[in-house]
Amino acid sequence: MKIALVCSQGGHLNEMLFLMEAFKKHDIFFITYKNPTTRALKYKKYVVENIGTNIRMMIKAFFQVFKILIKEKPDLIVSTGSEIAIPPYILARFMRIKTIYIESWCRIKTKSGTGRILYYFSNVFLVQWPELVKLYGKKAKYRGAVI
Amino acid sequence: MIFVTVGTHYLGFERLIKEMDKIASRINEKIICQIGSTKYEPKNMNYFTFVEDEEKIAELYKKARIIISHAGAGSIFAALNYQKPLVVVPRLKKYNEHIDDHQLELAEVLEKEGKAVVIYDINNLENAIKKAKKLNYKRNKGNNNLIKFLKNISRGWKMKICMVISTPFPPEEGIGYYTYNLSKKLIEKGHKVIVITRGSWNKTQKEKIEEIEVIKAPFLPIYPFYIYLHGFFVNKIFKSLESQIDIVHLHSPLPPLIKTSRPIITTIHTPMLTDYRQTRITSFHSLFSKISAKLVSYPQELKLIEASDIITTVSNPVAQELKEYNIKPSELIITGNGVDEKFFNYKQKKPEGNIKYIMFAGRIDREKGLFDLVECGRYISKERSDVRFIIAGKGRDFNKLKKKIKKIGLQDKFILTGQVNKNQLVKLYQNATIFILPSYHEGLPSVVLEAMSCGLPVIVTDVRGNRELISNGETGIVIPPRSPKKMAKTISTLLDDEKLRKKLGENARKIIEKNYTWDKISNRFLECYKSTVKESS
């Protein structure tokens, strides 16, 4: 199976790298931000420019990500977060690609902005603290944490 | 070495840095400090403001004996990842160290789980550094539940299934249609299917039939050794595909055995022993096939069963026949037979005219009880003239049956259509008033499923496969086999009772929608597939 791993640099990337063992039998590639820490990433990767809260960059990212998904045709997208996941998850809905979203480990009692949106777009929505399950709702599942 | 880090927040964390500087003057250990936006300049320890090189900071985490950190996710995650003793000092709003007190959240959880020592009063820091020496949180790398969960879920979602069959594809008969319908449903559900079957003798052909990848392996019809020869080619093809395949699904009789570490599921449509017993010796050819069934095919089938993780059958009667094979009950699953309920629909059913059509479809064979049906036709046509019998299909007794009809003089009452295709067949169903199956034994007859799906009232004989499908008086009518008189009476009664016909037809359709759609069957198979994938991981 082909899996797209989507995350921004820093903590989100750290968490994803920690989960790599789960994907080791699959064909994987990253979609991440252009950044010194992701430059060193040894896996196949596509980089997009930092989105942040900039609407124009978000629209641009939609086109970039669409091209990547068309080219790679992944069967599954997994993300540990930050806003870079928003375009691929929304597109995946229309392209019938399955998605798993894992809320960042540092979210214990509060929702993240990305999580709030992707709760409605992901097939499986995981949180890493049991406390968050109640806050998000029925779909959120706690199945352990990265660490 | 002690590594102190306060992250990249735009507010400083003077409280921690000042205290560390004091402690540094008292203890005899090297301290390296990342001070971030803190204005205070330490005098007794090495420090820098921000990290430029990720590798350099990774080095610091690795070398450190103890890590002292604010309660920011990045540094704590790193510290835990390197399994270092950790002292956490949360930034607090009241000292203007952060915009709110959310760092307390993470700090509290870490403390509760024993992953870190948390300092709420900065005067306790020195003491805590001593304490932290003993606290060594162990990361359970091989036993992470989240990783396990992800492994399993990513496996069950999109599977690539390799079906191996021994009959023509695109389908012409039962097993072919079974494979075709199942594959189409699986593809609809997002899985991928490759079908390997027999091809011509000299080359491997590849084609795509409605998104099903079909590979036809070379097949030389040298009986009875073709099994081994064909098996060699199939295995060669399979080896080149193996890395992408999750499940092997064999349909017997009688596909070649696949040598693989992947889970194997075998669906037995007809057991070899049953086939062997039912073969009547009428010619040299049938004698030969009977002998080869016993000496070659049967042992081959045993090997298949042994290599399989799960055996499935289409019906209860077949499962009964398989009792002789000593298969563990946990490995034998009845997945059932299905019908394309959208194609065989009742919506286009034609209104009945003056002439009523009684229909049979299937192999033209003595075992199907067709001679009883002709006999029954004789009784009925004595009483009423509005009945015609339609017999659709071909088979070895076709000519004999024709002769018999002629002999009785019922040529105008019986219509033998010969082989019909799917589109013609559904029109026949929709045109008929009653469907009848007078056979002497049945597995799980697809024709009855199709007729029921078209909302036809059905009359079947009281044999195992039929009994499983029909409850008498509810979804159809069951009559004893080999009894033309009773058959005639039942048909006649049913023809006169439109209300009952309607009730039977509607109930039949309901039962099909409930239990016999390909959607349901494919779900049962997916359960099997998933269970084997999990077991073997």
Side-chain angles (χ1 to χ4, degrees), chain B residues 356 384 386 491-499 501:
Chain B
K356 309 275 194 261
R384 48 202 305 167
D386 60 341
I491 290 174
S492 207
T493 327
L494 198 54
L495 280 177
D496 292 334
D497 192 345
E498 203 186 328
K499 234 180 171 177
R501 283 211 304 274

Side-chain angles (χ1 to χ4, degrees), chain B residues 160-176:
Chain B
K160 196 153 190 181
I161 301 133
C162 178
M163 307 240 185
V164 186
I165 59 173
S166 56
T167 58
F169 209 88
E172 287 171 11
E173 50 55 77
I175 296 177

Side-chain angles (χ1 to χ4, degrees), chain B residues 380-441:
Chain B
I380 287 189
S381 47
K382 272 182 203 161
E383 287 168 20
R384 48 202 305 167
S385 57
D386 60 341
V387 177
R388 299 286 181 279
F389 291 87
I390 297 195
I391 296 179
K394 61 176 183 183
R396 55 182 169 194
D397 291 334
F398 188 83
N399 290 330
K400 270 188 210 156
L401 190 71
K402 221 172 172 179
K403 252 183 228 162
K404 165 130 188 190
I405 292 167
K406 210 173 173 186
K407 202 173 142 198
I408 308 178
L410 287 176
Q411 298 100 309
D412 55 334
K413 303 281 182 201
F414 278 83
I415 303 157
L416 274 69
T417 64
Q419 178 81 348
V420 291
N421 64 31
K422 221 173 142 188
N423 292 322
Q424 292 166 318
L425 186 62
V426 70
K427 286 213 176 86
L428 289 176
Y429 285 127
Q430 284 160 350
N431 220 358
T433 312
I434 294 171
F435 184 85
I436 187 158
L437 189 70
S439 21
Y440 302 152
H441 50 76

Side-chain angles (χ1 to χ4, degrees), chain B residues 73-92:
Chain B
S75 31
I76 288 176
F77 190 80
L80 291 178
N81 196 16
Y82 290 111
Q83 301 190 50
K84 296 294 179 176
L86 178 61
V87 177
V88 170
V89 188
R91 288 172 180 249
L92 297 174

Side-chain angles (χ1 to χ4, degrees), chain A residues 1 14-15 18-19 21-22 26 37 76 96 98 100 105-106 108-109 124 126 129 143 145-147, chain B residues 54 73 76-77 80-81 105-106 108-109 113 137 139 144-147 149 151 153-154 157-158 188:
Chain A
M1 179 157 72
N14 265 343
E15 292 184 33
F18 197 83
L19 296 170
E21 202 201 317
H26 300 284
T37 53
L76 174 66
R96 293 170 80 194
K98 299 267 189 183
I100 301 177
W105 179 73
C106 61
I108 303 165
K109 288 174 183 169
V124 172
L126 298 175
W129 298 95
R143 293 281 181 272
V146 283
I147 204 153
Chain B
E54 287 284 328
I76 288 176
F77 190 80
L80 291 178
N81 196 16
E105 267 181 40
L106 187 57
E108 276 167 18
V109 172
E113 296 191 353
Y137 159 71
R139 198 176 101 190
N144 186 308
N145 285 334
L146 185 59
I147 290 178
F149 176 75
K151 263 186 192 170
I153 199 166
S154 57
W157 255 349
K158 298 231 171 176
E188 203 183 297

